[in-house]
Amino acid sequence: MENLIDIKDHKERLAKAEKILGYEFKDKSILLKALTHPSAVQGSSTEHSYERYEFLGDALLEAIASFSVFRKYENMDEGKLTHMRVALVSGENLSKVAQELGLADLIIFGKSEQSTGKRGMKSALENVYEALVAAIFLDGGQVRCWHFVLDTVVNKMIDDTELSIVDNPKSTLQELVQVEHATPVYNIINETGPAHEKEFEAEVVVDGEVLATGKGSSKKEAEVKAALNALQAWGKRAQCI
């Protein structure tokens, strides 16, 4: 199927993307689709944007992250391995990685999204990273895709203290504040983005004081992030390894 967006109009953008990714695409149309936000081809088939690639990239990321933590932490149980994988491939983490790589300026947005000031940028960064993982896999194969994920996410962050595992951050925080006979309360204080790219912001409150806030692509993820941030502020991050 022919692209709705002409490759010729985005030669410079594609060249910059290849430089960032460290990989030259044989089929430039695959890279173009991976960078195309649905708003740029609104009303047309999902074939023309990054949506289908995002689906495949998400599955590839989970597989690579799962294998990596399985091999690295031989004595870690299933629950802790799951938390480690979730931390590595969370929307919060992937959008941060994509931002640091410089992908924000390369995403092709439509006029409708541009008129909103690209308020869905954080979700778009996460989605584009996943789409690019799929694009590299489809154009360059499994090994090239594997190395890209290892270099940009797994090896770079698996030992980072920001990814210290807390079996259940909300429960850990609950135990800490119970010493003072208090209970943490979570409130969703903000919700942005279109229906398919929602971003939620949660706050955790104890005795009327906001301890921390957190953002995520679901209410649950936002609350967990708020709890993690509160634990860090508390200065008693749980260690599980």
Side-chain angles (χ1 to χ4, degrees), residues 4-5 36-46 48-50 108-110:
L4 293 183
I5 298 178
T36 302
H37 190 272
S39 65
V41 288
Q42 204 161 9
S44 66
S45 167
T46 56
H48 301 290
S49 73
Y50 60 53
I108 303 169
F109 288 100

Side-chain angles (χ1 to χ4, degrees), residues 22-42:
Y23 173 70
E24 185 175 345
F25 279 76
K26 296 182 285 291
D27 184 349
K28 306 295 184 187
S29 69
I30 292 178
L31 176 57
L32 183 67
K33 289 176 185 178
L35 294 172
T36 302
H37 190 272
S39 65
V41 288
Q42 204 161 9

